[in-house]
Amino acid sequence: MAKYNTSQFKNGLKLMLGGKPCSIINNEFVKPGKGQAFNRVKFKDLITGKTLEKTFKSGESLEGADVMELEMQYLYSDGSSWYFMDPSSFDQYELGQAAMGTATNYLVEQDNCIVILWNNNPISVTPPNHVILEVVDTDPGLKGDTAGTGGKPATMNTGVVVQVPLFISIGEKVKVDTRTNEYSGRA
Amino acid sequence: MSEFKAQLLQYQNFLHQIRDFFYSRGVTEVKTAALLSNPVSDVYIDSICATVNREIGELKSLYLHTSPEIEMKKLLARGSGDIYQICSVYRDNEQGNQNFNEFTMLEYYRLDFDIHKLIDEITELLVKLGWRHNIRRISYNEAFIKYAGIDILQADFDSLKSIAKSHGLSTEFDWIEDLQMLLFIHLIEPQIKNYSACFVYDYPKQQSALAQIDSQVAKRFELYLNGVEIANGYQELQSAKDYRHRFSNELAKRKQLSKSISSIDEQFLLELKEGLPFCSGVAIGIERLFSSIGL
């Protein structure tokens, strides 16, 4: 893989850091009045999703990470693994619980999502920003409450619990923002 | 009035407040040359070279000042008393959101001030310019002990290397001071960001630049506003001999890094024959200060 030095660092660049594939989320150039130049860089670990900060001497270089983001279709889960298909090649990929992270809360069969491959192995999944889920359990709401003031917990068909307005009832489909786990409207 | 015009007036008022501050304290505004015969000797600051007089057959290289420090110290040696200057300065090999090839510097010197008296005065200047937040002070070593558990004044090169390694950082450094700076930027600066204003003082002696050394520490300080370095000040070296020693050190480091080097500014050392009066001086980045105050 190619090497990248600090002057080529930019947001989104995928690099190997301590043996792990990471993506740059912020690159700050710092030059003390009397010192050499440094880059203070914030990374996202593409496997764990955690952010970490490193400081480099300007001019240092890191190896690029062989990382690809592909849009795939979620096929099904057997409970321990989740299966995806690249619609352009029909190749199937299997992900375990750890790599799925919170994506299991939002994926419904046939949904498209972004799968990150590192050295052609899937390491994480990002669901679409908004997904449509079905309410399978919630307390009965107040009939007349259409203003949506207040809220109540509702369990979705994926198992995730989302705060919904009082007027939502079992069986309804709702739109959920996967980044915040918030209700964003009736579907 | 347009927003643009309002900004121009705001900047004018800001400069006026600074000049008024110094006028009322009897600090004299001066203007020194920006085109110098010698480049700066600092290892990590690069002068911009200007080639002049080619067409009249008098070709020579001059250097845009990277700070008015040397020229102002000549004035101090000649008996100027307290002085200040607001001027554009120029530096090569700068880039980034906070670094530019040209910026405006406020440089000023106060006779018989130690760094703490100068810090007191800069605090008063900040308040006059409208700063309304707390202003803290912490020594370089206190900061390291508090935020990283490191006694930076005692830690040797090897122990700092192993600390850097434990944080997954580079250990490829020629000098201990560069490693101190790396750890400061990585471990301390993000913490200092939590203070809106913070003076850091008493630097390790390896980072003395042109400041006096008192046993383990250089009588040097920096001011951070919202985590951004705004000012750098010293209790100034006084003798020509000390200046020659520091310049030689910096030039030797430049040589080691294969950077352009020049001879020592003998004219300056000559002017310092009688020495500099006891004084403290500071350089303040005006654009950075203006944007921090305006926040």
Side-chain angles (χ1 to χ4, degrees):
Chain A
M1 226 24 218
K3 285 209 157 203
Y4 295 88
N5 78 39
T6 52
S7 68
Q8 297 166 296
F9 283 12
K10 58 175 190 215
N11 293 356
L13 184 66
K14 314 283 191 297
L15 297 167
M16 292 302 294
L17 198 65
K20 288 180 181 169
C22 290
S23 173
I24 294 180
I25 50 181
N26 189 44
N27 173 32
E28 188 187 354
F29 180 83
V30 189
K31 187 164 189 259
K34 293 287 172 185
Q36 67 170 228
F38 296 94
N39 289 61
R40 187 162 43 211
V41 187
K42 219 175 251 172
F43 291 94
K44 182 178 168 188
D45 181 323
L46 292 174
I47 293 177
T48 63
K50 286 188 181 131
T51 60
L52 55 158
E53 226 176 67
K54 294 277 175 202
T55 304
F56 301 92
K57 283 194 292 186
S58 293
E60 264 190 80
S61 57
L62 286 181
E63 201 177 321
D66 181 8
V67 167
M68 268 195 309
E69 290 182 2
L70 287 182
E71 188 165 336
M72 292 195 198
Q73 191 177 52
Y74 168 53
L75 300 176
Y76 65 98
S77 165
D78 59 15
S80 57
S81 290
W82 281 256
Y83 297 88
F84 295 83
M85 184 184 70
D86 176 355
S88 61
S89 65
F90 301 105
D91 286 342
Q92 287 195 19
Y93 294 88
E94 175 187 346
L95 275 88
Q97 173 78 55
M100 288 297 295
T102 57
T104 55
N105 291 339
Y106 307 107
L107 284 182
V108 176
E109 288 173 15
Q110 318 298 318
D111 270 358
N112 285 332
C113 51
I114 302 291
V115 174
I116 296 179
L117 298 178
W118 172 42
N119 297 333
N120 212 36
N121 293 314
I123 53 172
S124 80
V125 178
T126 311
N129 291 342
H130 293 96
V131 290
I132 292 168
L133 302 177
E134 188 182 326
V135 177
V136 294
D137 189 29
T138 190
D139 288 339
L142 297 167
K143 274 258 157 59
D145 179 47
T146 51
T149 52
K152 59 179 181 178
T155 308
M156 303 294 154
N157 53 336
T158 56
V160 69
V161 177
V162 177
Q163 281 298 116
V164 298
L166 297 175
F167 57 78
I168 295 291
S169 52
I170 295 174
E172 278 193 79
K173 292 196 168 169
V174 295
K175 202 164 152 191
V176 176
D177 188 320
T178 62
R179 296 159 298 184
T180 56
N181 194 45
E182 277 168 8
Y183 167 90
S184 54
R186 271 178 159 145
Chain B
M1 186 166 48
S2 74
E3 199 184 323
F4 173 62
K5 179 73 181 174
Q7 283 169 354
L8 291 179
L9 292 176
Q10 196 191 354
Y11 187 62
Q12 172 186 253
N13 181 53
F14 173 77
L15 291 179
H16 179 77
Q17 296 285 327
I18 293 172
R19 291 197 157 97
D20 188 54
F21 180 85
F22 288 120
Y23 187 83
S24 69
R25 285 159 191 251
V27 183
T28 309
E29 179 161 15
V30 297
K31 164 80 179 73
T32 57
L35 269 178
L36 310 176
S37 352
N38 282 74
V40 68
S41 55
D42 287 48
V43 54
Y44 292 121
I45 300 178
D46 297 324
S47 296
I48 294 175
C49 179
T51 308
V52 299
N53 296 345
R54 184 191 300 273
E55 290 183 21
I56 56 170
E58 299 283 343
L59 184 69
K60 65 173 174 177
S61 291
L62 293 173
Y63 301 89
L64 287 164
H65 64 175
T66 58
S67 125
E69 180 170 6
I70 295 296
E71 296 304 302
M72 288 178 77
K73 282 181 173 170
K74 287 181 185 171
L75 302 185
L76 289 164
R78 285 178 220 163
S80 65
D82 300 322
I83 47 174
Y84 80 97
Q85 175 162 204
I86 298 171
C87 59
S88 290
V89 297
Y90 309 88
R91 295 180 179 188
D92 204 355
N93 305 318
E94 299 280 343
Q95 56 134 6
N97 292 336
Q98 297 282 357
N99 292 71
F100 304 96
N101 295 118
E102 173 176 352
F103 61 98
T104 311
M105 189 178 272
L106 160 63
E107 176 113 358
Y108 87 94
Y109 293 89
R110 292 289 256 152
L111 271 51
D112 298 320
F113 273 40
D114 63 12
I115 51 169
H116 288 285
K117 207 167 166 196
L118 189 58
I119 289 172
D120 289 342
E121 188 170 68
I122 296 167
T123 302
E124 289 163 30
L125 175 62
L126 289 176
V127 170
K128 180 177 169 80
L129 294 174
W131 190 260
R132 293 288 172 267
H133 308 288
N134 280 345
I135 300 174
R136 293 173 185 259
R137 292 180 198 193
I138 189 165
S139 80
Y140 197 88
N141 201 35
E142 275 166 18
F144 261 100
I145 287 171
K146 185 170 179 186
Y147 298 119
I150 300 168
D151 186 342
I152 197 74
L153 299 179
Q154 301 301 324
D156 63 17
F157 204 5
D158 284 338
S159 59
L160 291 185
K161 277 185 179 172
S162 59
I163 292 167
K165 201 170 174 188
S166 73
H167 288 277
L169 306 177
S170 170
T171 56
E172 302 285 306
F173 290 91
D174 292 319
W175 305 292
I176 188 171
E177 53 270 34
D178 289 1
L179 202 40
Q180 292 166 345
M181 282 186 232
L182 169 78
L183 293 174
F184 188 84
I185 287 171
H186 190 68
L187 301 172
I188 312 302
E189 270 192 17
Q191 301 292 333
I192 285 181
K193 229 171 233 179
N194 298 329
Y195 300 147
S196 45
C198 185
F199 284 98
V200 180
Y201 62 91
D202 285 359
Y203 276 61
K205 63 174 189 279
Q206 298 91 347
Q207 294 184 47
S208 58
L210 299 178
Q212 289 184 359
I213 291 175
D214 182 2
S215 70
Q216 281 302 302
V217 296
K219 303 310 280 179
R220 174 180 165 195
F221 67 91
E222 296 220 356
L223 167 64
Y224 285 84
L225 295 182
N226 305 307
V228 176
E229 185 188 333
I230 299 285
N232 179 27
Y234 313 138
Q235 207 163 289
E236 304 291 350
L237 287 183
Q238 292 177 266
S239 77
K241 185 169 143 265
D242 286 342
Y243 278 97
R244 180 183 296 281
H245 183 65
R246 300 282 173 91
F247 289 155
S248 312
N249 273 346
E250 291 292 302
L251 292 172
K253 286 173 157 190
R254 287 188 71 93
K255 196 170 172 188
Q256 195 174 326
L257 296 178
S258 312
K259 298 182 87 164
S260 63
I261 49 168
S262 64
S263 52
I264 283 178
D265 187 348
E266 294 294 341
Q267 183 58 35
F268 171 66
L269 297 181
L270 207 61
E271 296 239 14
L272 240 57
K273 216 163 46 187
E274 306 293 320
L276 214 59
F278 179 84
C279 64
S280 289
V282 63
I284 300 174
I286 284 291
E287 286 87 358
R288 290 186 184 185
L289 178 63
F290 181 66
S291 64
S292 297
I293 298 265
L295 285 175

